[in-house]
Amino acid sequence: MRRTLLNLTEAMRRTAILLIPCWVLLCSAFTVSAEELPRTAAKKTVTIGVQSSLDPQFIVGSFGPTIAHLRKRFPDTVFKTQFLRLEDLEAAIEKRSLMFFIAESGVFAYEEARVGARDLAVRTTAMAADPARTVSSTVFVLSSSPVRSISDLKGRSIAAESPESFGGWTVLQGIIANRGHDPEEFFSNTIFTRSEFPDVASIVLAGGADAGVLKSCDLERVMREHAYEPGAFRILEPQPGTQLRCLRSGPLYPDIVFASLPWADSELVKDIIVALLSEPPSREGDAWGVCPDFESVDQLFRTLKVGPYRYLREFDWRVLWENYSEWIFAAAGLLVLLILHVIRTNRLVFIRTAQLRGALRREKALEADARESRQRLSKMERIGVVSQMSSMLTHEVRQPLYALINFAGGLRMYVERRYGADPVVADAASSITEEAERISEIVSRVRNYAKQKEAVRERLSPAGIAEAALRTFAHSTTASGVKVKTVPDASADGVFIEADPLEMELLLLNLLRNGASAMKDCPPGEKRLVLGWHSDGIRLVFEVRDHGPQLSDEAFERMQTPLSSTKADGLGLGLALCRTIVERLGGHMEFVRKDPGLCAVVSIPLADAETDGEEVEDRKETEKNQ
């Protein structure tokens, strides 16, 4: 858990470091001072559309310097940029509100076929020898994985950055299609991170996916940034060659394209080509180059039947009729005979199985009721978990934010005292303070949303609570092969507690599930749960005991800590939710080791019981904090 929180904090720190220069860059790119307004109004405006899903490394390292270079090269021209999603970029091109656009080569190839877009320059890196062969897919697994090839991934899960990533996801789909598989049905599950935390490599390392796919050279960068062990991952089907000095699993294609649209001014197009090709390389060695053709991208689109070749997926009935009309008539005749046979058969079945249909309807009604109950419990469980995690996040994040605000103010005061007032430093410090406060407000807003309103309490009997929990537990997969025995005590007859019925059902259901999970390795006949309850006149006590293996001292001690779990691979969120429910009711939960098994004991004050002053104050304080 501690490592997870450290990773989360590190990811937020990296995000802040990345967003601050981007924000300053974009502000400087789009802000015009008051003295320049009259002069800017007379300038020619050129609008450039930018694919919003481009790699953030390109936006910071290449896009910003390129726009700054164009503005310096053409002082009489105002360059406006719009970050657009793919559908918005296509709509803007349809409306002719753009003259140029910057997008991946796959998007450019589609617009080239659709409206006649023209490539002016292609972005290449220091790792590539040819602008036409710059990007590919890198498919990787854990070094200990049994997967040896891309074909072995069929029916497995994979993590990727975005379905719009040409260099990563689209190229991999082409590899799968060329081997005779359907890319849309190849993987059992696909996780898209969309450049958020956890990243693709972290998901694979944590076992969240069997494999990961990144754009070529990104895995090496991630390995450096996160300091992963050199042998943590293994590349599937590494391709030989010196055209790209990065590990890859597929063929090479052009990377990001700076393109013009047919209605752009020809003289301006020529000047921008010269400006792009004369722009100095970035610190990483990225530069604009010339790509002779995009035939490889066109062939990839034809293979996947996307973009300009989407029509290949459509079915033409006229062609089918002209070529197979005789077969269609024969099939229609057979279909009519089959329909008549089915109608006759169904009629006989309907007459002879009326009672069976009634039984099936009742069974479906019971299943629908159980499904609805599980959905309601699952929703409440998610709300409780989000509340727990948001509380932890609020507590852990606010202190660094306040420290960041103090450091920014201190830096401004130090500079003013040491070197005098500096407007640049003052503006930067103010911006840091404002952004940090905004983040703090967002965290608080998430916390307030997760808490929601207080649950409505009702008078509940212990038998009714147990019956609801057992009914839901019986429909869960963990109940398979488990026998549950209820042991009500006469002392609990006629007593009630005030609580939310769904919360109490969820409380007992979690304890029953934990007990069943603890007995998963026991022989079928020995999987027994005992649910009992009694009252001492002040409190109602529930006891849930399993007959699984006895816990060690270390495991039993660990259960007393927050976010503890009774399962080896559990996160402890279920027990945390149970504790929250019990504490809100002013109750107490503890665990007692048995031989064999473990017993969970939950005590809750009765609805009509008198409590001492200290208990009343504790309960009021608990409800206030909630």
Side-chain angles (χ1 to χ4, degrees):
M1 185 62 194
R2 181 180 179 185
R3 181 177 179 85
T4 302
L5 292 176
L6 290 176
N7 289 340
L8 180 58
T9 305
E10 178 65 14
M12 296 182 65
R13 184 184 69 82
R14 290 180 179 273
T15 303
I17 292 174
L18 180 60
L19 290 179
I20 290 174
C22 289
W23 178 256
V24 175
L25 176 62
L26 293 177
C27 288
S28 63
F30 298 116
T31 304
V32 181
S33 64
E35 294 78 10
E36 294 178 337
L37 284 176
R39 184 175 60 185
T40 303
K43 294 181 179 181
K44 180 171 62 175
T45 300
V46 174
T47 304
I48 303 174
V50 184
Q51 181 183 345
S52 60
S53 57
L54 290 178
D55 188 351
Q57 301 293 330
F58 168 79
I59 298 298
V60 175
S62 298
F63 168 74
T66 295
I67 298 301
H69 176 71
L70 292 178
R71 286 174 176 154
K72 182 177 179 181
R73 189 70 177 264
F74 304 98
D76 295 329
T77 303
V78 176
F79 289 94
K80 294 176 60 179
T81 57
Q82 296 181 358
F83 285 83
L84 304 170
R85 297 179 301 175
L86 290 182
E87 55 269 24
D88 297 331
L89 178 62
E90 183 176 345
I93 293 175
E94 289 283 354
K95 296 177 181 178
R96 297 196 173 192
S97 60
L98 304 176
M99 296 180 66
F100 303 89
F101 67 89
I102 302 174
E104 292 180 312
S105 57
V107 178
F108 163 74
Y110 174 63
E111 296 300 337
E112 180 185 32
R114 193 172 69 92
V115 298
R118 175 184 175 188
D119 63 296
L120 306 185
V122 178
R123 197 66 174 173
T124 185
T125 67
M127 307 300 291
D130 183 358
R133 296 173 177 82
T134 303
V135 67
S136 183
S137 288
T138 302
V139 186
F140 60 95
V141 296
L142 290 175
S143 298
S144 58
S145 174
V147 176
R148 297 299 171 185
S149 67
I150 294 177
S151 298
D152 294 342
L153 291 175
K154 182 174 176 60
R156 296 177 180 267
S157 59
I158 192 168
E161 286 191 337
S162 169
E164 301 171 357
S165 173
F166 176 81
W169 182 247
T170 305
V171 173
L172 174 58
Q173 285 190 310
I175 297 173
I176 295 171
N178 283 327
R179 298 184 181 183
H181 302 289
D182 183 359
E184 297 180 358
E185 303 292 337
F186 188 76
F187 297 106
S188 62
N189 184 33
T190 305
I191 303 171
F192 292 112
T193 65
R194 300 188 183 276
S195 301
E196 296 179 355
F197 184 85
D199 58 9
V200 174
S202 299
I203 292 175
V204 176
L205 192 63
D210 296 312
V213 57
L214 290 171
K215 188 173 69 174
S216 54
C217 298
D218 279 2
L219 181 60
E220 288 84 348
R221 174 179 57 80
V222 170
M223 295 285 288
R224 293 192 303 269
E225 291 179 353
H226 294 274
Y228 291 131
E229 295 182 3
F233 303 109
R234 173 165 45 83
I235 308 299
L236 296 183
E237 303 182 14
Q239 300 296 307
T242 59
Q243 294 175 327
L244 183 67
R245 296 197 299 274
C246 295
L247 293 174
R248 57 186 175 91
S249 304
L252 292 167
Y253 298 90
D255 199 3
I256 298 173
V257 181
F258 196 119
S260 66
L261 294 164
W263 47 87
D265 181 76
S266 58
E267 289 297 322
L268 180 60
V269 170
K270 180 181 68 176
D271 294 339
I272 287 183
I273 292 175
V274 175
L276 292 176
L277 297 180
S278 62
E279 180 187 352
S282 66
R283 290 187 306 173
E284 292 78 13
D286 298 345
W288 292 103
V290 177
C291 179
D293 65 77
F294 290 84
E295 178 63 28
S296 58
V297 179
D298 185 77
Q299 183 59 43
L300 176 60
F301 277 14
R302 179 184 290 274
T303 300
L304 295 176
K305 299 178 183 179
V306 297
Y309 299 102
R310 185 175 295 276
Y311 70 90
L312 294 176
R313 296 190 177 193
E314 300 176 355
F315 194 78
D316 193 335
W317 285 101
R318 291 186 303 172
V319 175
L320 181 64
W321 177 261
E322 292 174 359
N323 295 327
Y324 304 100
S325 57
E326 297 85 357
W327 290 98
I328 292 176
F329 276 117
L334 291 175
L335 181 61
V336 170
L337 294 176
L338 179 61
I339 291 174
L340 294 175
H341 175 71
V342 170
I343 292 175
R344 179 177 177 276
T345 303
N346 287 343
R347 178 63 180 170
L348 294 175
V349 171
F350 178 79
I351 295 174
R352 296 173 184 176
T353 60
Q355 293 181 350
L356 179 59
R357 286 197 186 94
L360 291 176
R361 283 195 297 270
R362 289 192 296 271
E363 182 179 352
K364 289 182 179 179
L366 292 174
E367 290 178 354
D369 181 69
R371 183 167 57 252
E372 181 181 356
S373 177
R374 288 195 299 269
Q375 290 174 350
R376 290 187 291 107
L377 291 175
S378 176
K379 181 178 179 181
M380 171 168 285
E381 188 169 7
R382 288 196 300 270
I383 292 174
V385 172
V386 169
S387 179
Q388 293 276 340
M389 299 302 294
S390 60
S391 298
M392 297 171 59
L393 182 62
T394 303
H395 181 270
E396 294 294 333
V397 169
R398 282 194 170 182
Q399 295 300 326
L401 288 176
Y402 292 152
L404 180 62
I405 295 172
N406 292 334
F407 283 140
L411 176 62
R412 180 169 55 188
M413 294 174 60
Y414 172 78
V415 172
E416 290 178 354
R417 292 178 180 176
R418 184 73 179 269
Y419 303 101
D422 188 334
V424 175
V425 174
D427 290 343
S430 298
S431 299
I432 294 173
T433 302
E434 292 175 0
E435 293 301 315
E437 291 176 347
R438 188 166 70 89
I439 295 174
S440 179
E441 292 176 359
I442 292 173
V443 172
S444 299
R445 196 177 305 125
V446 171
R447 170 59 179 157
N448 292 334
Y449 172 77
K451 289 173 63 177
Q452 296 194 2
K453 63 181 180 180
E454 184 178 357
V456 178
R457 298 183 180 182
E458 302 176 8
R459 289 175 63 89
L460 305 174
S461 66
I465 297 171
E467 180 182 0
L470 290 173
R471 182 173 58 251
T472 305
F473 174 74
H475 292 285
S476 65
T477 56
T478 54
S480 178
V482 179
K483 296 181 179 179
V484 183
K485 179 182 179 181
T486 57
V487 185
D489 190 83
S491 61
D493 292 341
V495 301
F496 298 89
I497 61 172
E498 290 186 354
D500 184 275
L502 199 57
E503 287 186 350
M504 291 302 302
E505 181 181 346
L506 183 60
L507 169 63
L508 291 186
L509 179 61
N510 268 295
L511 297 178
L512 290 170
R513 285 176 175 172
N514 286 342
S517 299
M519 298 185 297
K520 63 180 180 179
D521 296 329
C522 296
E526 298 181 10
K527 294 182 179 181
R528 293 180 290 115
L529 286 175
V530 179
L531 171 59
W533 59 88
H534 64 274
S535 174
D536 58 1
I538 299 177
R539 292 176 178 269
L540 174 66
V541 180
F542 282 100
E543 295 182 354
V544 179
R545 179 189 172 181
D546 61 73
H547 290 74
Q550 190 171 20
L551 291 178
S552 63
D553 293 340
E554 180 182 356
F556 184 77
E557 183 66 23
R558 189 170 60 248
M559 290 184 59
Q560 313 306 320
T561 61
L563 291 180
S564 61
S565 175
T566 58
K567 294 175 281 188
D569 56 348
L571 297 177
L573 297 179
L575 290 182
L577 182 60
C578 293
R579 288 191 175 94
T580 300
I581 294 173
V582 173
E583 290 172 1
R584 287 178 60 181
L585 298 174
H588 177 69
M589 184 174 71
E590 63 181 358
F591 295 91
V592 180
R593 283 189 289 186
K594 300 291 185 177
D595 187 15
L598 183 72
C599 182
V601 182
V602 176
S603 60
I604 300 173
L606 297 177
D608 301 324
E610 294 291 334
T611 57
D612 58 22
E614 182 178 356
E615 290 180 338
V616 172
E617 292 299 324
D618 290 343
R619 180 170 178 178
K620 290 182 178 179
E621 185 66 20
T622 301
E623 294 179 349
K624 180 180 178 181
N625 293 333
Q626 294 298 325

